[in-house]
Amino acid sequence: MEARGLTKTYVMGDQTVHALRGVSLDIEEGDFVAIMGASGSGKSTLMNILGCLDQPTHGVYRLAGEAVEVMTPDQLASVRNRRIGFVFQQFNLLPRTSALENVELPMVYAGVSVQERRAKAQAALQRVGLAERGDHTPSELSGGQQQRVAIARALVNHPQLILADEPTGALDSQTSEDIMRLLTELNAQGMTVVLVTHESDIAAWARRKLVFRDGQIVEDVANAGRTLSAAGPPQGARAPSGGSAAHAVASVGASQMAALRSALQALAANSLRSMLTMLGIIIGVAAVITMVAVGNGATQRVEAQMKGLGSNIMLVLPGGVSQAGVRLGAQTRQRLTEDDAQAIQTDIPEVQVVAPTSRTSGQLVFGNTNWGTSIIGVTNEYLEARDWPLASGRLFDAGELAGSAKVAWIGATAARELFGDQDPVDQTIRVRNIPMAVVGVLAVKGQNSMGQDQDDTIMIPLSTLRNRIWGGDATSRLKRVSAISVKVRDGESMQAVEEDIKDLLRQRFKVQAGGEDPFQVRNLTEILQAQEESSRIMTLLLAAVAGISLIIGGIGIMNIMLVSVTERTREIGLRMAVGARGRDILAQFLIEAVTLSLIGGAIGVVLGAAATWGVGHFAGWQVSLSMGSVLLAVGFSGFVGVFFGYYPAHRASKLLPIQALRYE
C-alpha cells in the first residue's frame, strides 16, 4: 500500500473537521502494522481509506500498484471482495443468519457456487475453531466466538490484506489474546495485517507501530523483538478481477438466490409486519379475481344469449299507428302477414331465410300430468333462422305444414315436466284439448336476454295454430303473423339489410314520406353485442376499482421497504464491505419487495377463488374464473412490488459503504 498526501475533510454544519492532514506511508506485503492514537486522531479514517470503504478528499492511494481513486464503485467492490478481509470491533454479523451463512457472504458476491462456498465456509470455521457452531446464529454465540466468525468471514476469500478495526475492543483479556494469536498466525502465513487499536498491549503484537495525533502520523517505529519481513502472499491468494464481466456473470445467480433466501428470512423475522403490509395486496388480488370472474360470467351469459338467438338475426314486429303524434289503441296496430315474409325472402337477396311465427299459450296434457307453456306456430325455416336444431325426431313435412297437421316439437323444459325420463317422440299429448303427436324434441337453448326459459315451449305448424288453435278466424284467413324472424347471410351488412327491409315494408304498407313506420325492425345481434360490450366495460371498471387496493398495497410495500432500508443500513454497509456492488444491493431489496408482493398475490388468489365460488354458489350468479385473470392479478401484484419497491432499493444501493457502516 502506497499513500501520498492523504487528506480527509468533513463538513459538519458550519464547521470543517480535518480528519487526515497530508498522511503519507508505505505498507509492504506481509507486514503486520498497528495504528494507534486517541479517539478522533484519524486512525479509523485512514483504515477506511486503506480498505477502499472511503475516498480521500485529496491525495493518492495505490493498492497493489493500482490507483484506487480512479476506480469505479464496482471495481472498488471487487477489490474489497477479493483482496481485503475486514474484522470489525462490533463484529457486524447478520443477525438472522447462521455463522456458516455469515462466513459464506463474501463468496456470494464472488460468484462461488453453493456447494463450493459451503465447503469453504466450513473449512474457515474449522480454522478458527468453530466447526461445531456453524448452525448457530450470532445471538447464540459469545463475543469471542462472534469475532472468530468475523475473522473466518474475512479469510474465506483468501485475501491478501486483513484490516482489523479494534478487533478486541469488546472482548475480555483472554479472548483478546486468542484473537491476536490467530491474527499473528495469519500474518506468519503471509497475510498483510493492519490493526487499529488504542491499547498498547494489543499493538505490541505487531511488527510495526504507527501513532496518530490530529490527523497526522507522529510516530512510525518497529516493535522491539519483531523483525519486518515479507513472507510473500498467502497460499491460494488471488488477484482481483476489477469487476470483470466474468465475475459479474458468475455472481448473478448465486447472489440472487442468496437475496431470495435473505428476503424470506427478513419476512419471517417480521411476520406480523409483513402480513399487515401484504394485506392491501391480498385484498386487491382477491377483489380483482372475484370482480373479473363475475364480469366474465356476465359476458358469457350474454354470449350464450346471442347463441340462443342465432347469428345474424333480425326480428320484424308489427307497430302501432299514431295520429297527430298520439299512438292509437291496440286495435289499430298494423299486422304482418306471411305474404310480407315471402316478399322479404324474395326481394332481398342478402336474406338467407325468413321465418314467420305466431304465438299464444295454453295447457299441455300427457296422462295425468299437465303443464302450461307457450305455443308457437312456425315453419321449418324457424329452426334454421334461430340456429336451433332438434335433439331427436324429425322436421315437419310439406303436407303437415300446409294441411294443419296435429304434430309438434316440444322444448326440453316442457318435455321434462310432462314426460320425466321418458322419450317424448311418437307420444301423443293434448294441446288445448287437441291431440297432437310429438315428432321432435328441441335441443336445449337456455334463457334469453330477458331471463325467460326458451326451452319451456311447444312448436306446431303455423297453419295448425291458425286453423285448429285459433279456429280459422279473420286473423287466420289473412295469414297474419305476430313476428317475422330474418336471418342475414354471413358477410352481409346487417345495417344495410335492415334498411332494405324497412324500405320494402314501407312500400307494402304505403307509408308516405316522413310518416311513421307501422312496424319495428330489431337487430337483436346489435342489442346483445351492446350488452356484451357493456358487460366488458363493467368488468374493466370493477377490476380497476379492485386494482386500487393493489395500488394502496404497493404504497404500503414502499413504506415498509423504506423502513427496512433504514433499519438495515449497517447490514447494507457490511454487504458492501465484503464485496456487494450497488446492483447487488438493489437486487437484494427489490427481490424482498417483489417476494412480499407475490406472496400476498398468492394468498389473494386463494381468497379470490374462494370468494368467486361463494358468489356463484350462494348468490346464484354466473361466474367464470379464468387462468388469465389469475395470471393478470398475480402479474400486476408483481409489477406493484417492482414499481413501489424500486425507490427504496435504489436508495439503498446508493449508500456509501462507510456511511452505512457508521449509521446508528
Side-chain angles (χ1 to χ4, degrees), residues 623-639:
V623 294
S624 176
L625 179 61
S626 67
M627 183 57 66
S629 64
V630 171
L631 294 177
L632 173 65
V634 174
F636 189 57
S637 69
F639 170 77

Side-chain angles (χ1 to χ4, degrees), residues 44 48 53 80 86-97 102 105 109 146-147 150 153 165-166 170 262 561-580 585 588-589 592 651-653 655-664:
S44 293
N48 293 329
L53 292 172
R80 292 192 296 268
F86 293 94
V87 182
F88 303 97
Q89 178 181 2
Q90 299 300 326
F91 319 134
N92 282 344
L93 301 179
L94 300 182
R96 293 182 296 270
T97 58
N102 269 284
L105 191 60
Y109 301 115
Q146 291 185 55
Q147 193 62 288
R153 181 182 62 198
D165 189 1
E166 300 280 5
S262 177
M561 290 309 299
L562 287 171
V563 171
S564 181
V565 168
T566 302
E567 290 178 342
R568 297 161 59 190
T569 300
R570 287 181 64 86
E571 175 189 328
I572 295 169
L574 170 63
R575 291 180 180 275
M576 289 181 167
V578 299
I585 301 299
Q588 168 81 39
F589 284 91
E592 288 190 22
R651 182 174 174 178
S653 70
L655 290 173
L656 296 177
I658 189 60
Q659 292 178 349
L661 283 170
R662 288 173 174 169
Y663 183 82
E664 297 294 338

Side-chain angles (χ1 to χ4, degrees), residues 288-504:
V288 167
I289 288 176
T290 304
M291 293 300 99
V292 171
V294 171
N296 285 342
T299 301
Q300 289 180 5
R301 182 174 179 177
V302 173
E303 290 175 350
Q305 293 169 356
M306 291 179 66
K307 291 179 181 178
L309 288 173
S311 58
N312 301 339
I313 291 293
M314 282 187 287
L315 194 62
V316 183
L317 300 171
V321 177
S322 62
Q323 181 176 339
V326 177
R327 187 169 294 278
L328 303 181
Q331 66 274 14
T332 65
R333 289 177 63 86
Q334 183 63 269
R335 295 291 185 179
L336 298 171
T337 66
E338 289 186 53
D339 292 339
D340 296 325
Q342 184 60 45
I344 293 172
Q345 179 75 74
T346 304
D347 296 351
I348 304 177
E350 293 83 4
V351 170
Q352 178 177 332
V353 66
V354 176
T357 60
S358 286
R359 182 183 297 265
T360 187
S361 61
Q363 287 288 114
L364 308 182
V365 179
F366 176 72
N368 295 325
T369 306
N370 64 82
W371 182 254
T373 188
S374 65
I375 305 170
I376 308 176
V378 298
T379 61
N380 286 334
E381 288 77 12
Y382 182 74
L383 298 185
E384 181 181 357
R386 293 289 308 278
D387 292 332
W388 197 341
L390 291 173
S392 61
R394 63 173 177 82
L395 298 175
F396 302 140
D397 61 34
E400 291 169 337
L401 290 169
S404 305
K406 294 184 285 186
V407 291
W409 301 322
I410 192 169
T413 299
R416 182 177 66 251
E417 296 295 335
L418 288 178
F419 296 97
D421 296 331
Q422 296 183 54
D423 184 4
V425 177
D426 296 331
Q427 301 284 352
T428 299
I429 62 176
R430 299 185 68 81
V431 181
R432 284 193 177 181
N433 288 324
I434 300 172
M436 293 192 184
V438 177
V439 298
V441 178
L442 296 162
V444 176
K445 197 71 168 174
Q447 293 183 343
N448 62 16
S449 59
M450 302 298 293
Q452 297 171 337
D453 185 1
Q454 298 180 89
D455 300 313
D456 188 5
T457 188
I458 187 169
M459 298 183 186
I460 59 178
L462 187 57
S463 61
T464 303
L465 178 69
R466 285 199 309 264
N467 299 320
R468 296 188 183 275
I469 301 299
W470 287 340
D473 58 11
T475 298
S476 302
R477 289 191 298 275
L478 294 173
K479 294 185 178 182
R480 288 176 176 168
V481 295
S482 57
I484 300 173
S485 297
V486 180
K487 183 174 184 178
V488 179
R489 298 184 188 278
D490 290 337
E492 300 294 342
S493 170
M494 296 286 288
Q495 290 77 13
V497 173
E498 181 179 346
E499 290 302 319
D500 290 343
I501 292 173
K502 289 179 178 179
D503 291 342
L504 175 63

Side-chain angles (χ1 to χ4, degrees), residues 3 58 207 237 287 411 426 434 505 541:
H58 299 289
R207 294 192 180 96
D426 296 331
I434 300 172
L505 293 180
L541 289 175

